[in-house]
Amino acid sequence: MTRDPWRLDGQLALITGASRGLGLATAREFARLGAGVVLVARTPEDLETAWSEVAGVANHEVETLEADLATHDGRGRVMDWAAERGGLNILVNNAGMNIRKSMAEFSFDEYRQVLSTNMDACFDLCRRLMPWLQRGTPAAVVNNASVAGLTHLRTGAPYGMSKAALIQLTRNLAVEWAPHDIRVNAVAPWYIDTPLARQVLDDPDYSAAVIERTPMGRVGHADEVARTIAFLCMPAAGYITGQALAIDGGFSVNGF
């Protein structure tokens, strides 16, 4: 069957952290482009609200899966779902969190919490879902990293470490999985107008500093990230793999 290179019809996409922010925007965009979507998050009330929003634009099935991906049991629930479905075309590793502190203020448990959510969950899902992605080839994986994985930000060392690790994981898997017809890319957003970012952007001084360093003079919109993720999963992007695409209004290339 010839596929429209600019759509995702007939594809099944699993999106983590899909109940709000970038994950919800991505699920909504995928549904608009014809994909079946599975929304994974840990809070049932948020999942129910997200399902209603995504189902409103979907022509295909929209499922929800409650799972805390920072835990082995939560990731096991995803594996059980995959085994039941028997195949998957797209995986978007979006779930993440942060604790904004200086290095000296971090406890080791807090450090592990950031890395287990942002890094361990992505690694384990990729590792264990690979056989199901093979059944859905050509398949695509997109890992949501951050410009914090490319340069210093005020977000804290553990967050930056976890996002840098996702970028390197993306590169390694792109090479390792290319013979299996699975493409692996990453996006690296700067400040995007989401509930998570508003925790600091609501501070006028902080927001002004962010905008001053951004050549385009504004923060990004969640839909702008979602559309980029969708593009990386389309047939139109079929020769793109191993890339970490900054969605940052020019921040990462802004010199003096």
Side-chain angles (χ1 to χ4, degrees):
M1 180 179 65
T2 301
R3 294 171 56 194
D4 184 333
W6 299 103
R7 286 190 57 83
L8 296 169
D9 296 296
Q11 303 294 287
L12 179 60
L14 187 145
I15 303 167
T16 70
S19 63
R20 62 178 64 185
L22 296 181
L24 177 55
T26 301
R28 189 170 56 236
E29 184 68 13
F30 275 44
R32 189 184 68 80
L33 291 166
V37 293
V38 185
L39 315 177
V40 183
R42 60 187 176 183
T43 307
E45 295 80 11
D46 290 345
L47 275 173
E48 183 177 351
T49 301
W51 181 91
S52 298
E53 183 173 334
V54 175
V57 299
N59 295 319
H60 297 278
E61 61 186 321
V62 179
E63 301 178 50
T64 62
L65 180 60
E66 180 188 343
D68 182 353
L69 299 179
T71 68
H72 182 77
D73 289 345
R75 297 191 293 273
R77 297 196 68 183
V78 177
M79 298 311 118
D80 291 342
W81 171 89
E84 183 177 330
R85 290 303 300 266
L88 179 66
N89 307 107
I90 296 168
L91 170 62
V92 179
N93 287 301
N94 170 73
M97 59 87 66
N98 192 19
I99 300 172
R100 291 181 171 88
K101 291 183 176 181
S102 68
M103 186 73 142
E105 295 174 316
F106 259 90
S107 70
F108 191 79
D109 286 343
E110 289 172 328
Y111 160 80
R112 282 305 316 161
Q113 183 183 359
V114 173
L115 265 65
S116 66
T117 302
N118 295 359
M119 185 179 70
D120 295 354
C122 179
F123 173 83
D124 201 25
L125 286 183
C126 286
R127 178 180 69 90
R128 298 169 69 183
L129 284 173
M130 192 267 194
W132 308 111
L133 288 163
Q134 278 188 280
R135 295 189 182 192
T137 54
V141 177
V142 177
N143 299 320
N144 191 359
S146 168
V147 290
L150 301 171
T151 188
H152 165 75
L153 297 185
R154 299 182 191 178
T155 48
Y159 183 81
M161 291 166 64
S162 69
K163 295 303 185 177
L166 291 190
I167 292 171
Q168 189 58 44
L169 175 66
T170 296
R171 293 168 177 150
N172 280 78
L173 292 185
V175 175
E176 185 176 322
W177 289 0
H180 302 288
D181 208 7
I182 303 172
R183 296 184 299 107
V184 186
N185 289 290
V187 293
W190 172 225
Y191 278 101
I192 308 297
D193 186 13
T194 65
L196 184 64
R198 287 185 206 119
Q199 295 174 10
V200 291
L201 292 177
D202 283 345
D203 178 340
D205 292 336
Y206 196 101
S207 181
V210 168
I211 291 171
E212 181 184 5
R213 288 162 174 78
T214 307
M216 290 185 68
R218 63 175 177 86
V219 299
H221 302 301
D223 286 345
E224 292 174 312
V225 178
R227 290 166 187 155
T228 304
I229 292 172
F231 165 70
L232 289 171
C233 297
M234 290 176 180
Y239 201 52
I240 300 174
T241 196
Q243 303 305 303
L245 183 56
I247 310 171
D248 66 355
F251 164 78
S252 60
V253 295
N254 188 18
F256 176 68

